[in-house]
Amino acid sequence: MKTLTIAFAAIAALSAGTASAKDTINVGMCVSWPGYAMLDVAKQKNLLPDYDLNITNFEDPLGGHAALAAGQIDVYGCTADYVPVAVEAGLNEVNVAYLNPSYGVDHVILAAGVEPGALKGKKVAAPQAYIGQLLMGLWLDRQGIAPGDVTWVNLNADEAVGPMLSGDLAAAYMYEPWISKVLEAAPGAKSVVNTTDPDMLKTGIFMDSLYMNKDFIAKKRDAALAVLKAEWDARGYWHDHVGEVNALMADYLQWPVEDINAVIGTNGKSLDGGIYVFDFDESARTCGVLAGDPPFGLPNGSMPGSVALTNDWWVKLGLMKGKIDPAKGIDCSLMGDLVAQGYRQSFGAN
């Protein structure tokens, strides 16, 4: 009888342990970047107490999208420029929120001795199918230069430094610390545009975004809503404890804290030359689920228009074949649910 009692107790304990086990939400970051690290803050500060977050840093945007579409991860932080590509490819993912506009991180650098009007027929560098190629394309368009008027070289910012200094490139997409390296080593080289430019900001295409697997939303909506809320809760915690959170991010990303400060700022909102951190209300307005206009001249419900513009440029640049329906790559219903529940968050002006 005693043995049987012990056995029943063991079963009861096992059942209790199973009942209390937390579900895991698998999260991905496409690269090491403060704008994607807020869910690690949520994990460290226990802002999602009913779930475990398993976070993977892919350091490979396309690889992360493949994992998301396959259901190997549920949530993914990456740039918004991939939305039309995902729609055209029929991938099982959607963009659920805009997170951070680039606010001066991204630049086009013109080589010493080169004037914009002389770029036709010259080599320009930008990483293919990434926001750098969009920035370069939009800036060239301002100069009356079509994509086919230049020779595109597929280089990341660090890879473009040598060719810029040797004179092999006439212009290149860059960000720090590579901008400073070129400007210091090549007097006369200059930045001709960056993403604080009002016309670039109001396109809405230079954005960090949060993506989710469609099946995750459909089958585990409570978890999807909880992890989205945790993203904004973490931003609120950062706003109120900037120094602490920037130090947490530095430790997690293995960056010097000075570099974190240089990207995300120290005022709990934005940094000229870094990123502008959307609060919940600003992001909800880009979704069109909360009244009012987002910043930077963007209209309420601007997401589909930004996706459509990105789509147009991918077609111009030869990376997509035709038009897609932007609505197929966006799901603002989770943001709408949070609005309906009364969730609000406004950091105010920086």
Side-chain angles (χ1 to χ4, degrees), residues 5 10 13 15-16 33 48 58 80 84 87 123 125 129 136 168 186 212 236 296 310 329:
T5 301
S15 298
W33 185 242
L48 195 64
F58 282 85
V87 173
K123 292 180 182 179
M136 180 69 78
D168 189 46
M212 289 188 185
F296 307 128
T310 304

Side-chain angles (χ1 to χ4, degrees), residues 140-335:
L140 289 172
D141 188 62
R142 276 193 197 173
Q143 316 310 313
I145 299 172
D149 291 339
V150 296
T151 299
W152 292 85
V153 184
N154 182 16
L155 295 175
N156 290 322
D158 58 330
E159 298 169 325
V161 173
M164 281 288 284
L165 296 180
S166 70
D168 189 46
L169 292 173
Y173 161 76
M174 289 192 163
Y175 47 84
E176 292 291 9
W178 316 114
I179 295 168
S180 296
K181 291 182 183 297
V182 170
L183 297 185
E184 289 168 8
K190 58 187 176 182
S191 173
V192 289
V193 72
N194 68 67
T195 46
T196 58
D197 181 287
D199 288 337
M200 295 301 177
L201 281 168
K202 70 183 181 184
T203 66
I205 64 178
F206 302 101
M207 289 276 183
D208 291 326
S209 281
L210 199 67
Y211 295 81
M212 289 188 185
N213 178 276
K214 291 180 182 179
D215 290 338
F216 173 64
I217 296 172
K219 297 176 181 179
K220 296 184 177 180
R221 191 172 183 87
D222 287 348
L225 193 61
V227 74
L228 182 59
K229 180 178 180 294
E231 172 74 31
W232 303 111
D233 286 347
R235 286 161 183 263
Y237 190 87
W238 168 75
H239 177 265
D240 295 337
H241 308 86
V242 178
E244 175 193 352
V245 172
N246 284 11
L248 289 175
M249 286 187 181
D251 184 62
Y252 174 64
L253 296 175
Q254 293 298 289
W255 284 27
V257 71
E258 294 80 9
D259 290 354
I260 298 291
N261 294 343
V263 169
I264 205 168
T266 58
N267 65 7
K269 183 59 183 174
S270 66
L271 178 71
D272 188 352
I275 61 176
Y276 179 99
V277 178
F278 270 166
D279 55 45
F280 173 80
D281 290 8
E282 290 170 328
S283 183
R285 288 170 179 143
T286 68
C287 266
V289 296
L290 183 66
D293 291 332
F296 307 128
L298 293 167
N300 188 276
S302 60
M303 289 176 73
S306 299
V307 172
L309 181 60
T310 304
N311 183 191
D312 289 344
W313 271 96
W314 286 150
V315 172
K316 289 180 185 180
L317 291 165
L319 298 171
M320 292 184 66
K321 295 178 181 177
K323 301 274 190 174
I324 55 93
D325 177 3
K328 292 183 177 179
I330 298 167
D331 184 349
C332 282
S333 66
L334 293 168
M335 291 290 285

Side-chain angles (χ1 to χ4, degrees), residues 26-68:
N26 293 308
V27 176
M29 298 166 47
C30 64
V31 293
S32 297
W33 185 242
Y36 307 135
M38 289 294 182
L39 284 176
D40 180 71
V41 176
K43 179 179 180 178
Q44 293 197 52
K45 304 309 296 185
N46 196 32
L47 301 179
L48 195 64
D50 296 331
Y51 297 91
D52 283 326
L53 292 181
N54 176 37
I55 303 176
T56 301
N57 187 350
F58 282 85
E59 298 293 0
D60 175 10
L62 296 182
H65 277 291
L68 180 67

